[in-house]
């Protein structure tokens, strides 16, 4: 461990910011800027740009750049159902909002197998002053969506998320259930923003020719690529005064739930949902005294580590400098990514008819992480019992280190690195697939450098996460390579009554997926900068800009490229191309 003075460095930074921007009990880190602070600072900037389309009195639309989603050609629909409409006022630490769910009337007639595409739409707005908050949506305890809210401007803000939820088709059609939405909001004299939200389900169905073809095609590979037959929650049950996620508090805390798998399962995939909060909200910036910058969520089956999630560092709407994320929000912030762990090699153990404990821990955690999961199961239609066995399993301890050097106790360089390998192979015997061996392999590498300079006033953080996950099996082989580069600069120049606070962020979500049916590549990169000028301890001006390039291409010809730049609240440049004119296909 490095010099014990590292914590003092961070404390100084925090105090400095806390003096300039008051914090509340709702912001344990003391580093959060509120909407009020930000609008005070942003006002001079908007006034200068009087031709700006986005006057502070008009309602703003904030958005996350992602590719548009479409139903397959020839689909019928949509059949749209409003699932819930609610105003989230003082909801923090209160029971979540629930609504009875019945499969939409258009669904039973067609049946789950005829759903070609399902979209969950979250549309919300907020007026007044409010922090960004985290919310989650669950159906029967299965998480469908998690996001952070947009912080409002005086004229109000609106945003929406369209998430492809086709893979939850069996759950959507399974029968009556409970829809749960938690959005922990606080209202007081200063923070009066209420979040009004609507949740709508849009269903599309196969055209008759496609439905007939699907019914005729009972091939094992088609079955393996279809949505799961059953999805079980690994989350908390109602009643709770919070979301249904488990709250992981520290590095030794293991949160778990028992799960019983039907006797005829032949494939199992655990979809893990994670988000970081409180003292770990910006875990990638943490000093050695704050357990360093490395975090991983481990998945335990009856106490054994069977998979690990090295999360993408989602920066919420209040992160680093909230202006940066207006109007283009951080990657994953409105629609957080989830992570799949293949449990098929362990089916031999799970198929014994007994309940098994599925647990989650967060290495190096500080208070607190929200973690839960959905277990996707494929069931053998032709037999009531499948069998399986584990062939090999190897999950050596995490390798890693934190090294730091500081000459004066303020400035210095801290390096953290970690790596982990997990592999498991197992067989399953089913009538659908016969005898199939499946291997699951993870190769994970992490590196973080934090250079502190100018007597603790400047920090340069470079982080890379490189995660390779491979499933090798006859019908559902998949190779996923994710790489998450992150660069953050925070600095303060000037002295006394004149200060300039600079923030720079470069972040990327880069992913290649190679499956039996298609290969796809996504490169989603953001580069942003914000500057706040302070005179005599008052915000005298603010400026910020964002440049994002989103580029997706798949072997089935699908393609989407978008190149967008915003300065202040204005989108200056927004080009997208869904045909790609051959340019994106090299
Ligand atoms: C929610 O739906 C209702 C009814 O259609 C509509 O009046 C309201 O404006 C919607 N709210 C949002 C935030 O979209
Ligand atoms: C499901 O809920 C609907 C609407 O409340 C109700 O009419 C129906 O009887 C319920 N079905 C079952 C099987 O409980
Ligand atoms: C870690 O968190 C758990 C669950 O809240 C708690 O019981 C335990 O005392 C904590 N351990 C430490 C060392 O703080
Ligand atoms: C993980 O596996 C790779 C490839 O086999 C190996 O080079 C690396 O040293 C392993 N790392 C750890 C931490 O075991
Ligand atoms: C950190 O990242 C920036 C931007 O990519 C790069 O210019 C710089 O050289 C990196 N610094 C280190 C120490 O790796
Ligand atoms: C995005 O657009 C800008 C402005 O035309 C251009 O300079 C830049 O090269 C484009 N970037 C990409 C990756 O297409």
């Amino acid at each position: 461990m490095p010099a014990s003075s590292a914590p003092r460095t961070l404390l100084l930074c925090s105090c400095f910011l806390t003096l300039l921007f008051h914090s509340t009990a709702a912001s344990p880190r003391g580093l959060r800027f509120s909407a009020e602070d930000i609008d005070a600072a942003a006002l001079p900037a908007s006034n200068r740009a009087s031709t700006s389309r986005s006057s502070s009195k008009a309602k703003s639309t904030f958005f996350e750049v992602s590719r548009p989603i479409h139903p397959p050609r020839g689909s019928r629909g949509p059949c749209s159902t409003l699932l819930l409409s609610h105003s989230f006022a003082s909801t923090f630490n209160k029971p979540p909002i629930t609504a009875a769910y019945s499969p939409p009337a258009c669904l039973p007639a067609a049946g789950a197998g005829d759903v070609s595409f399902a979209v969950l739409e979250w549309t919300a707005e907020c007026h007044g002053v409010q922090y960004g908050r985290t919310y989650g949506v669950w159906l029967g305890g299965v998480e469908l969506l998690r996001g952070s809210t947009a912080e409002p401007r005086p004229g109000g803000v609106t945003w929406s998320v369209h998430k492809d939820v086709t893979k939850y088709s069996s759950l959507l059609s399974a029968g009556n259930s409970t829809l749960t939405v938690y959005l922990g909001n606080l209202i007081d004299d200063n923070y009066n923003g209420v979040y009004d939200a609507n949740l709508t389900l849009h269903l599309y169905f196969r055209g008759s020719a496609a439905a007939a073809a699907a019914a005729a095609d009972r091939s094992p590979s088609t079955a393996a690529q279809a949505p799961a037959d059953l999805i079980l929650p690994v989350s908390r049950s109602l009643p709770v005064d919070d979301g249904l996620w488990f709250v992981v508090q520290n590095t030794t805390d293991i949160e778990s739930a028992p799960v019983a798998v039907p006797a005829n399962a032949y494939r199992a995939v655990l979809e893990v949902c994670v988000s970081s909060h409180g003292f770990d909200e910006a875990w990638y910036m943490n000093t050695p005294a704050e357990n360093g910058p490395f975090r991983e969520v481990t998945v335990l089956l009856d106490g054994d580590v069977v998979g690990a999630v090295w999360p993408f560092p989602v920066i919420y709407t209040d992160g680093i400098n909230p202006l940066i994320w207006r109007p283009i929000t951080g990657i994953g912030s409105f629609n957080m990514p989830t992570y799949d762990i293949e449990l098929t090699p362990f089916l031999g153990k799970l198929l014994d008819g007994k309940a098994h404990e599925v647990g989650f821990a967060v290495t190096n955690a500080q208070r607190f992480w929200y973690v839960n999961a959905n277990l996707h199961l494929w069931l053998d239609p032709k037999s009531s019992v499948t069998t399986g066995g584990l062939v090999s399993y190897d999950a050596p301890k995490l390798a890693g280190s934190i090294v730091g050097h500081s000459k004066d106790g303020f400035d210095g360089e801290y390096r953290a690195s970690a790596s982990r390998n997990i592999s498991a192979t197992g067989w399953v015997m089913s009538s659908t697939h016969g005898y199939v061996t499946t291997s699951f392999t993870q190769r994970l590498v992490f590196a973080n450098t934090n250079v502190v300079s100018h007597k603790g006033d400047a920090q340069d953080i470079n982080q890379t996460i490189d995660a390779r996950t491979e499933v090798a099996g006859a019908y559902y082989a998949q190779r996923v390579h994710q790489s998450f580069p992150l660069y953050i600069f925070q600095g303060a120049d000037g002295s006394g009554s004149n200060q300039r606070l600079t923030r720079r962020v470069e972040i990327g979500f880069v992913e290649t997926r190679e499956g039996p049916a298609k290969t796809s590549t996504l490169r989603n990169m953001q580069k942003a900068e914000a500057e706040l000028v302070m005179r005599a301890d008052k915000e005298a001006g603010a400026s910020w800009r964002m440049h994002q390039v989103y580029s997706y291409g798949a072997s089935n010809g699908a393609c989407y490229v978008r190149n967008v730049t915003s300065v202040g609240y204005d989108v200056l440049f927004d080009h997208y191309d869904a045909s790609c004119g051959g340019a994106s296909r090299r």
Side-chain angles (χ1 to χ4, degrees):
M1 295 293 274
S4 59
S5 47
R8 257 192 286 140
T9 303
L10 194 90
L11 265 175
L12 282 177
C13 298
S14 311
C15 294
F16 175 63
L17 287 171
T18 311
L19 283 175
L20 300 179
F21 304 102
H22 59 92
S23 61
T24 71
S27 58
R29 207 181 163 78
L31 276 168
R32 294 173 79 177
F33 300 75
S34 75
E36 213 173 33
D37 303 325
I38 285 305
D39 280 310
L43 219 50
S46 331
N47 289 348
R48 273 199 304 278
S50 52
T51 53
S52 163
R53 277 180 288 125
S54 56
S55 112
S56 64
K57 291 287 168 274
K59 186 157 80 181
S60 310
T61 300
F62 293 172
F63 59 98
E64 180 174 339
V65 172
S66 62
R67 64 183 177 276
I69 50 176
H70 303 291
R73 226 179 281 264
S75 295
R76 292 176 288 112
C79 153
S80 300
T81 311
L82 181 68
L83 301 180
L84 181 128
S85 182
H86 191 80
S87 295
F88 294 86
S90 290
T91 46
F92 189 71
N93 273 346
K94 301 251 176 68
I97 305 309
T98 59
Y101 174 87
S102 307
C106 56
L107 223 176
D114 282 345
V115 172
S116 62
F117 193 58
V119 176
L120 187 68
E121 177 191 348
W122 164 278
T123 297
E125 56 183 53
C126 185
H127 298 263
V129 176
Q130 195 49 266
Y131 279 112
R133 306 292 187 188
T134 305
Y135 70 92
V137 176
W138 296 263
L139 181 61
V142 170
E143 183 171 319
L144 298 183
L145 174 66
R146 187 184 299 195
S148 71
T149 65
E151 288 193 347
R153 298 181 65 194
V157 67
T158 179
W159 81 102
S160 57
V161 176
H162 289 82
K163 180 170 175 181
D164 180 349
V165 292
T166 313
K167 67 178 174 182
Y168 308 98
S169 296
S170 62
L171 179 73
L172 297 171
S173 58
N176 289 355
S177 180
T178 301
L179 183 83
T180 304
V181 181
Y182 179 80
L183 187 163
N185 196 20
L186 285 171
I187 299 287
D188 62 21
D189 291 346
N190 295 322
Y191 299 94
N192 58 3
V194 171
Y195 286 104
D196 295 323
N198 287 347
L199 196 62
T200 309
L201 178 65
H202 305 284
L203 295 172
Y204 296 81
F205 303 98
R206 285 180 222 285
S208 44
D217 182 1
R218 302 211 172 277
S219 70
S221 58
T222 304
Q225 268 123 63
D229 300 302
L230 176 70
I231 307 172
L232 299 177
V234 188
S235 58
R236 298 197 295 178
S237 311
L238 292 167
V240 287
D241 289 336
D242 194 342
L244 298 184
W245 37 52
F246 297 107
V247 183
V248 177
Q249 306 269 359
N250 56 50
T251 190
T252 53
D253 189 3
I254 297 174
E255 297 293 328
S256 69
V259 177
V261 166
N264 62 340
Y266 66 83
R267 187 181 180 205
V269 174
L270 190 72
E271 179 191 20
V272 186
C273 315
V274 314
S275 55
S276 62
H277 305 279
F279 294 103
D280 263 2
E281 179 175 322
W283 45 274
Y284 36 84
M285 297 175 76
N286 286 348
T287 60
E290 301 168 300
N291 296 353
F294 172 71
R295 297 293 180 276
E296 65 166 349
V297 179
T298 50
V299 175
L300 299 103
L301 179 61
D302 296 328
D304 294 329
V305 173
V306 292
V309 172
W310 287 28
F312 174 74
V314 177
I315 305 176
Y316 307 136
T317 50
D318 57 5
I320 302 180
N321 178 334
L323 290 171
I324 287 180
W325 316 112
R326 302 170 175 209
I328 304 174
T329 197
I331 297 170
S333 62
F334 283 171
N335 181 3
M336 297 188 194
T338 63
Y339 306 84
D340 287 347
I341 302 294
E342 184 81 32
L343 292 186
T344 306
F346 299 96
L347 272 177
K349 178 184 229 179
L350 291 167
L351 288 168
D352 63 0
K354 300 195 180 100
H356 292 267
E357 208 65 18
V358 176
F360 309 98
V362 182
T363 304
N364 296 335
Q366 300 188 109
R367 234 167 37 88
F368 52 92
W369 287 70
Y370 290 153
V371 185
N372 60 206
N374 307 324
L375 182 57
H376 295 250
L377 295 163
W378 284 259
L379 308 178
D380 195 349
K382 289 183 238 156
S383 67
S384 55
V385 178
T386 52
T387 52
L390 188 64
V391 175
S392 67
Y393 163 64
D394 188 30
K397 272 204 175 61
L398 175 78
S401 67
I402 303 178
V403 198
H405 304 283
S406 179
K407 285 202 181 98
D408 62 1
F410 290 104
D411 295 348
E413 184 169 326
Y414 307 96
R415 288 176 183 278
S417 62
S419 62
R420 187 193 271 284
N421 291 340
I422 297 173
S423 59
T425 301
W427 60 269
V428 175
M429 179 74 193
S430 69
S431 66
T432 305
H433 285 162
Y435 179 91
V436 170
T437 300
T438 304
S439 295
F440 175 64
T441 313
Q442 291 192 290
R443 298 263 178 275
L444 310 164
V445 181
F446 168 95
N448 178 299
T449 309
N450 188 347
V451 178
V452 181
S453 61
H454 296 86
K455 295 269 174 271
D457 275 352
Q459 272 191 89
D460 264 286
I461 293 167
N462 263 16
Q463 178 173 290
T464 55
I465 292 174
D466 190 86
R468 289 174 191 270
T469 297
E470 185 171 353
V471 177
Y475 302 104
Y476 29 86
Q478 182 153 68
R479 212 179 306 176
V480 180
H481 181 197
Q482 295 180 316
S483 143
F484 306 146
L486 171 66
Y487 171 72
I488 297 172
F489 171 78
Q490 306 211 98
D493 293 332
S495 60
S497 56
N498 278 313
Q499 294 266 359
R500 202 173 70 218
L501 306 181
T502 305
R503 302 285 184 269
R504 265 181 229 121
V505 182
E506 289 177 36
I507 186 165
F509 189 110
V510 180
E511 181 182 81
T512 303
R513 286 182 174 266
E514 294 172 72
K518 73 172 182 189
T519 295
S520 66
T521 301
L522 168 66
R523 215 181 136 75
N524 188 6
M525 309 293 292
Q526 290 185 315
K527 186 170 177 178
E529 184 170 83
E531 218 166 72
L532 219 51
V533 177
M534 316 286 304
R535 276 196 206 100
D537 282 354
K538 284 208 178 67
E539 301 91 343
S543 62
W544 66 99
R545 57 191 301 136
M546 163 68 76
H547 178 60
Q548 184 163 6
V549 177
Y550 182 106
S551 150
Y552 173 83
S555 57
N556 64 359
C559 153
Y560 185 73
V561 172
R562 187 165 175 185
N563 178 351
V564 50
T565 300
S566 63
V567 173
Y569 285 106
D570 294 325
V571 173
L572 280 198
F573 176 90
D574 190 356
H575 276 189
Y576 55 90
D577 184 358
S579 68
C580 302
S584 77
R585 272 176 261 162
R586 277 182 217 123

